[in-house]
Amino acid sequence: MVIETFDPKETYDLGVKMGEQARAGQVICLNGDLGVGKTVFTQGFAAGLGIAGPVNSPTFTIVQQYEDGRLPLYHFDVYRIGDISEMEIGYEDCFYGQGVTLIEWSELIREILPEHVTEVTIEKDMEKGFDYRRIRVEEKE
């Protein structure tokens, strides 16, 4: 499925919709260049889960946990990991637990991802406008 958004609110709203439909054990791989709206999407996703507090990218901590929604949210940002061994502690509890895992820059840790994931790829197209985004959502088996 491909969705086009034309402002950050539409990207946020798509995140809300997907958060409302999220299920326990789901792993969502969120990919795209810097500045495409991954954090905006994630904030909407968290809102869709009923998480009320601020949601920011965990760039310097690798993972942020949010427990106050209808499902726990484990938000990973693996952009800064230098080696896959940095992910060895506890990621399985998140990937295979009772919450939802959202992973920014998941292509960097592809070898440890579960077999079934939902891949969300966000791309810009400046010819269609500064705020335009093409968002591809695919179930990977």
Side-chain angles (χ1 to χ4, degrees):
M1 161 173 63
V2 175
I3 298 100
E4 294 180 307
T5 65
F6 294 90
D7 64 48
K9 178 155 180 8
E10 289 179 348
T11 300
Y12 179 92
D13 289 345
L14 175 62
V16 170
K17 182 178 178 181
M18 289 186 67
E20 290 171 344
Q21 298 171 359
R23 60 195 184 281
Q26 188 173 16
V27 175
I28 298 170
C29 298
L30 186 55
N31 298 307
D33 291 335
L34 288 169
V36 296
K38 293 184 296 292
T39 300
V40 169
F41 174 89
T42 300
Q43 290 167 337
F45 190 91
L49 286 172
I51 295 167
V55 173
N56 296 304
S57 185
T59 301
F60 297 103
T61 60
I62 299 181
V63 66
Q64 291 280 9
Q65 293 184 213
Y66 303 93
E67 302 284 342
D68 61 331
R70 73 175 172 83
L71 295 169
L73 174 61
Y74 308 109
H75 179 202
F76 285 82
D77 183 331
V78 298
Y79 180 74
R80 296 198 188 284
I81 69 165
D83 185 89
I84 199 74
S85 65
E86 293 178 44
M87 290 289 299
E88 288 182 3
I89 300 173
Y91 75 87
E92 292 103 341
D93 294 339
C94 298
F95 289 9
Y96 302 102
Q98 294 303 307
V100 179
T101 303
L102 196 149
I103 309 165
E104 295 188 40
W105 302 98
S106 65
E107 65 272 10
L108 298 174
I109 60 166
R110 191 165 307 280
E111 60 265 29
I112 65 169
L113 293 174
E115 185 175 327
H116 299 92
V117 299
T118 301
E119 194 164 288
V120 176
T121 304
I122 304 175
E123 300 171 313
K124 289 182 180 183
D125 184 342
M126 294 305 283
E127 291 182 13
K128 293 188 177 188
F130 181 78
D131 289 325
Y132 172 85
R133 300 296 184 266
R134 182 184 318 92
I135 304 172
R136 190 173 57 252
V137 179
E138 301 175 277
E139 297 295 324
K140 299 288 185 167
E141 305 279 333

